[in-house]
Amino acid sequence: MITEIAEFKIRPEDRTAFLEAINRAAVAYLAKSEGYLGHSIYASQESPGRVVLQVQWASLEAHTVGFRQSPAFAQWREVIGPFFQSPPNVEHFDDVTAP
């Protein structure tokens, strides 16, 4: 399993509309992708124009190939892309928590 962390920068005045759009798009497109395991969306209290998406995927390829190269990705970006002030910063992480 890997975790995708995506940071979005939006205009603070678009926060409510963006949060509605990303939640709707996550259910409609992201959650239906093969290898998708779950997600969380975080809105910053200190920076109203900053939102972070955390997605758990079965593998890196489930995200980078399975989702990003699918028609669902284009639909996902069509819904949330108009809100971006800059391209999102996206990275993939391994859970290295010690038992």
Side-chain angles (χ1 to χ4, degrees):
M1 182 188 90
I2 62 104
T3 299
E4 167 200 3
I5 305 279
E7 179 181 355
F8 303 98
K9 294 193 178 180
I10 58 164
R11 289 185 309 273
E13 60 269 21
D14 290 341
R15 178 183 172 113
T16 300
F18 179 70
L19 293 176
E20 185 279 324
I22 195 171
N23 275 289
R24 179 173 32 91
V27 171
Y29 307 114
L30 190 64
K32 294 179 181 172
S33 296
E34 187 171 336
Y36 164 89
L37 301 174
H39 76 276
S40 298
I41 300 167
Y42 302 95
S44 174
Q45 290 187 6
E46 290 79 18
S47 304
R50 184 172 180 230
V51 176
V52 174
L53 169 69
Q54 176 182 332
V55 185
Q56 289 77 39
W57 295 98
S59 66
L60 178 64
E61 293 74 23
H63 177 232
T64 59
V65 177
F67 179 62
R68 280 197 181 166
Q69 294 181 16
S70 74
F73 180 72
Q75 294 167 312
W76 159 262
R77 287 300 287 261
E78 187 176 305
V79 173
I80 66 170
F83 293 96
F84 298 168
Q85 284 201 294
S86 59
N89 181 35
V90 179
E91 293 186 36
H92 299 93
F93 295 83
D94 296 309
D95 183 352
V96 295
T97 306

